[in-house]
Amino acid sequence: QVQLVESGGGSEQVGGSLRLSCVGSGINFSTTCVGWFRQRPGQERMGLAAIAPDDHQGRYVDSVKGRFTISRDNVKNTVYLQMNSLKPEDTAMYFCAAGAGRSVSGTCPIWVNPYNRWGQGTQVTVSS
């Protein structure tokens, strides 16, 4: 049984930092793309970052590049999302996902459809 569990969300002030964790069970993160996504109320889920099995740098959408960092610990089967310089618009439910393969270009996708394993999400609220 595959399970992804996110943690680390909470309330933070503008400019603060949070680190989200995604622990996988029943799935080996070292063999699949893993991504982080977020969803604001009334909006579609959007991708933020993704990391490949053999990649320790990740790739990002422009809105979080330079502020968020995705990383992995294969021993702990965990993927992290370090979020710095938080803004009110970062307020959302954050999800991790796994199970996607690489795109034709060899990179991991940062959009929803290729991922077939999802966690339940962790809420992040940023206030001024």
Side-chain angles (χ1 to χ4, degrees), residues 100-116:
R102 297 174 189 261
S103 65
V104 175
S105 63
T107 58
C108 284
I110 318 178
W111 51 94
V112 170
N113 284 346
Y115 291 88
N116 55 21

Side-chain angles (χ1 to χ4, degrees), residues 52-104:
D54 55 356
D55 176 12
H56 291 275
Q57 295 189 8
R59 53 192 302 258
Y60 305 86
V61 296
D62 287 345
S63 60
V64 304
K65 197 175 295 182
R67 298 192 300 124
F68 291 8
T69 303
I70 190 171
S71 62
R72 60 165 64 243
D73 184 332
N74 287 342
V75 174
K76 296 181 179 180
N77 209 40
T78 300
V79 173
Y80 304 98
L81 185 69
Q82 177 68 43
M83 307 188 297
N84 298 329
S85 302
L86 286 166
K87 304 175 180 180
E89 51 264 43
D90 293 322
T91 296
M93 184 71 79
Y94 284 70
F95 300 87
C96 67
R102 297 174 189 261
S103 65
V104 175

